[in-house]
């Protein structure tokens, strides 16, 4: 009965359905052509709508994936930082007796004064290593390689047309890396002094401070010896060797940059270990020996080679060394060196060799700055990629150093404040913890703006010192850019500035600054050689030679 009633209901529904019209009902045979054309138009319109929907879906998919990737990266970075900052959970009382108040106080002192605070080192890869796994990003790397090939071909073709033969002597590289054996000897002396003096001074001070009745005088004496070594032994003597022997630019950069690096490492070693000894000495009831607080010599040697300026007794280490990775990074450094050579040969030397003989006026200066933007930007990218990525990653791999965050995504910065923090994380960490934070600690956190000004001033002075010694003249272009425009942009383009337009403004200012640096320093370099002073006074040494040097040539000097 149920089946019959179901069939009856189905039949009633079918009979109730309206009758579909046929072609004859719509107008007979004469309307077949119109219906065919209308149907074709409807199909084409439907296909176009489907294509539009497909394109919209693809764009939506791309936007969603990009947002998802950025959110995942931010979440993983914050998760790593939070997990690294977590303190280890206390051991339950079942396995160990409870700590007394004095022991807890001592433990807090030792943890807070040494490595419980400050930078946390964790396992992480360099950002470009992760990005180069994406084919779209790696294509940009291939574009730079193609540009290098074009530079090489253009140089070979021009040399063949001018000389009638291929010129492969690389005279500019031979010049800038001159006196290399003396450079190696100077570096060995610097390294051995940093290996012996700071470690010996700290070992002597820490071994006797706990037992000495005149701990303050003992600290002042050895502290004065350390400062004397920093200023005289590591500061003055290498600079004297460089100036006395007239090192060419690249050789000079090697010594001066290593001088600054070793001074920063020696300061970090003393700064990180002295508070541990002082915290132990404050605990009068403690009978613990001081020797466990003195780092082993092997730890100090590892720190001197490690790609970081923050001392720790131990760092996260990878289990193996990928020698193929090391070889690829060193080859990339060599490639960047030849890339810079062709940038200067093709874009800089022909321009500035002639412009340095012209009258110094506003028109020539404007043209010089804008013509220098392209080589300036290429030099900026090459310096970043060669040193902060390839060189530091090569040493990190050889030392199995696992924390590879030597830089962050500075190219996405919408403020100069974020750019300064992410461009060179290695130097930024040292300035932040040992200059800014220590200044706030001494001022009891009352003068944050003064601490920021101190960081900018120290960074500007050190950068200008490096350029002045290596170029052989004083022309404070970089110092003025740091202290004037750098400070101004740091407050105008701050972290609250978001959006693509601020990233465009940041890149525009960065490009323009690179053009100014390349233009002014190149002009002064050639002016110093075209218009040498026989017996210059002190004021004449401070005055830029490019402001008054024109129509005087010295064809014997080309580089």
């Amino acid at each position: 009965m149920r089946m019959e009633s179901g069939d009856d209901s189905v039949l009633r529904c079918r009979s109730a359905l309206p009758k579909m019209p046929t072609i004859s009902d719509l107008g007979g045979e004469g309307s077949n052509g119109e219906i065919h054309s209308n149907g074709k138009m409807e199909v084409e319109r439907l296909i176009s709508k489907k294509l539009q929907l497909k394109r919209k879906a693809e764009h939506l998919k791309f936007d969603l994936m990009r947002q998802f990737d950025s959110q995942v990266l931010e979440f993983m970075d914050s998760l790593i930082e939070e997990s690294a900052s977590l303190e280890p959970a206390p051991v339950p009382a079942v396995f160990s007796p409870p700590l007394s108040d004095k022991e807890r106080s001592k433990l807090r002192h030792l943890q807070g004064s040494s490595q419980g605070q400050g930078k946390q080192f964790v396992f992480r890869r360099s950002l470009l290593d992760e990005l180069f796994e994406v084919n779209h990003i790696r294509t940009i790397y291939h574009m730079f390689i193609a540009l290098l090939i074009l530079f090489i071909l253009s140089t070979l073709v021009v040399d063949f047309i001018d000389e009638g033969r291929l010129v492969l002597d690389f005279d500019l590289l031979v010049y800038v890396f001159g006196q290399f054996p003396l450079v190696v000897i100077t570096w060995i002396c610097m390294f051995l002094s940093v290996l012996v003096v700071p470690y010996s001074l700290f070992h002597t001070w820490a071994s006797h401070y706990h037992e000495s009745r005149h701990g303050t005088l003992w600290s002042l004496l050895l502290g004065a010896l350390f400062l004397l070594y920093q200023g005289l032994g590591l500061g003055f003597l290498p600079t004297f060797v460089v100036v006395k022997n007239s090192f060419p630019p690249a050789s000079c950069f090697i010594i001066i940059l290593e001088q600054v690096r070793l001074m920063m490492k020696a300061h970090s070693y003393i700064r990180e270990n002295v508070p541990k000894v002082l915290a132990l000495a404050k605990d009068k009831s403690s009978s613990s020996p001081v020797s466990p607080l003195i780092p082993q010599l092997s730890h100090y040697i590892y720190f001197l080679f490690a790609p970081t300026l923050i001392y720790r007794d131990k760092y996260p280490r990878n289990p193996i060394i990928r020698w193929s990775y090391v070889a690829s990074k060193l080859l990339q450094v060599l490639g960047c060196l030849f890339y810079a050579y062709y940038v200067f040969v093709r874009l800089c030397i022909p321009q500035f060799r002639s412009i340095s003989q012209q009258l110094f006026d506003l028109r020539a200066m404007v043209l010089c700055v804008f013509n220098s933007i392209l080589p300036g930007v290429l030099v900026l990218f090459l310096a970043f990629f060669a040193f902060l990525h390839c060189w530091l990653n090569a040493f990190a791999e050889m030392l199995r150093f696992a924390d590879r965050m030597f830089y962050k995504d500075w190219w996405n910065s919408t403020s100069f404040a974020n750019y300064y923090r992410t461009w060179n994380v290695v130097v930024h960490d040292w300035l932040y913890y040992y200059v800014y934070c220590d200044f706030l600690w001494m001022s009891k956190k009352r003068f944050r703006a003064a601490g920021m000004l101190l960081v900018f001033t120290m960074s500007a002075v050190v950068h200008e010192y490096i350029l002045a010694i290596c170029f052989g003249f004083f022309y404070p272009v970089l110092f003025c850019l740091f202290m004037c425009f750098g400070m101004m942009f740091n407050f105008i383009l701050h972290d609250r500035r978001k959006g693509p337009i601020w990233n465009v403004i940041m890149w525009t200012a960065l490009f323009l600054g690179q053009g100014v640096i390349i233009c002014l320093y190149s002009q002064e370099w050639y002016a110093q050689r075209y218009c040498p002073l026989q017996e210059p006074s002190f004021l004449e040494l401070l005055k830029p030679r490019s402001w008054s040097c024109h129509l005087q040539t010295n064809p014997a000097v080309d580089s």
Side-chain angles (χ1 to χ4, degrees), residues 341-482:
Y341 165 79
Y342 284 109
V343 168
F344 280 102
V345 168
R346 300 304 305 161
L347 300 179
C348 292
I349 292 179
Q351 174 186 352
F352 293 108
R353 183 183 295 170
S354 59
I355 200 174
S356 299
Q357 306 173 28
Q358 300 175 3
L359 183 64
F360 182 87
D361 59 1
L362 181 60
R363 181 180 181 277
M365 177 57 62
V366 172
L367 291 177
C368 174
V369 169
F370 282 97
N371 290 335
S372 302
I373 288 178
L374 177 58
V377 171
L378 290 176
V379 169
L380 175 72
F381 289 160
L382 290 173
F384 160 74
F385 184 74
F387 180 72
L388 291 176
H389 180 69
C390 297
W391 186 261
L392 295 184
N393 270 293
F395 270 85
E397 187 67 28
M398 287 187 287
L399 296 172
R400 297 190 290 116
F401 187 84
D403 194 340
R404 309 290 177 87
M405 195 183 71
F406 309 126
Y407 54 88
K408 297 180 182 178
D409 57 337
W410 57 270
W411 48 86
N412 291 328
S413 299
T414 56
S415 67
F416 269 84
N418 185 69
Y419 169 75
Y420 293 140
R421 290 193 298 265
T422 56
W423 159 257
N424 188 343
V425 175
V426 179
V427 174
H428 170 266
D429 289 340
W430 193 93
L431 291 172
Y432 177 76
Y433 289 112
Y434 300 143
V435 179
Y436 182 74
C437 291
D438 284 357
F439 178 83
L440 292 184
W441 174 75
M442 289 186 292
S443 64
K444 298 181 180 179
K445 299 183 180 181
R446 290 181 295 182
F447 307 105
R448 294 183 180 272
M452 187 180 300
L453 178 63
L454 178 62
V455 170
F456 269 91
T457 304
M458 178 176 291
S459 180
V461 168
V462 172
H463 279 81
E464 192 58 45
Y465 159 77
I466 294 172
L467 294 182
I469 297 299
C470 295
F471 290 155
F473 55 81
F474 177 73
Y475 197 15
V477 176
L478 192 60
F479 180 84
C480 295
L481 290 178
F482 257 97

Side-chain angles (χ1 to χ4, degrees), residues 174-370:
V174 175
Y175 163 72
V176 297
F177 284 99
Q179 305 187 46
F180 199 75
L182 185 57
V183 171
V184 175
I185 295 173
T186 306
W187 181 86
I188 292 175
C189 295
M190 290 169 54
F191 179 80
L192 291 179
S193 69
V194 174
L195 178 63
V196 173
V197 177
Y199 186 83
S200 301
L201 287 176
F202 175 76
H203 190 283
T204 304
W205 173 81
S207 301
H208 298 85
Y209 179 81
H210 192 64
E211 303 171 354
S212 176
R213 296 181 180 179
H214 306 285
T216 303
L217 294 177
W218 182 247
S219 300
L220 291 176
L221 175 61
L222 294 184
L225 290 176
F226 175 72
L227 293 177
L228 182 64
Y229 164 74
Q230 287 275 74
L232 182 61
L234 197 55
F236 174 76
L237 290 180
T239 305
F240 176 79
V241 172
V242 165
V243 175
K244 184 69 175 177
N245 294 277
S246 300
F247 279 11
S251 299
C252 187
F253 270 109
I254 294 174
I255 296 300
I256 299 301
L257 290 176
E258 279 296 287
Q259 174 197 47
V260 175
R261 182 184 73 92
L262 293 175
M263 291 179 70
M264 296 169 76
K265 281 183 174 285
H267 176 85
S268 176
Y269 173 75
I270 299 297
R271 172 63 181 81
E272 292 291 336
N273 288 289
V274 165
K276 295 188 291 185
V277 179
L278 294 178
L280 182 63
K282 287 181 180 180
D283 190 0
K284 302 297 182 181
S285 62
S286 176
S287 59
S288 302
V290 184
S291 56
L293 298 179
I294 300 176
Q296 300 178 11
L297 182 60
S298 59
H299 294 164
Y300 182 55
I301 295 176
Y302 181 88
F303 168 64
L304 290 180
F305 286 101
T308 179
L309 298 174
I310 307 295
Y311 177 80
R312 294 290 183 267
D313 291 333
K314 293 182 179 179
Y315 298 94
R317 307 279 294 275
N318 289 328
I320 60 173
I321 300 176
R322 298 171 297 170
W323 290 107
S324 59
Y325 181 86
V326 175
S328 66
K329 295 306 170 187
L330 293 179
L331 287 176
Q332 287 173 342
V333 172
L334 188 62
C336 290
L337 182 63
F338 281 96
Y339 209 136
Y341 165 79
Y342 284 109
V343 168
F344 280 102
V345 168
R346 300 304 305 161
L347 300 179
C348 292
I349 292 179
Q351 174 186 352
F352 293 108
R353 183 183 295 170
S354 59
I355 200 174
S356 299
Q357 306 173 28
Q358 300 175 3
L359 183 64
F360 182 87
D361 59 1
L362 181 60
R363 181 180 181 277
M365 177 57 62
V366 172
L367 291 177
C368 174
V369 169
F370 282 97

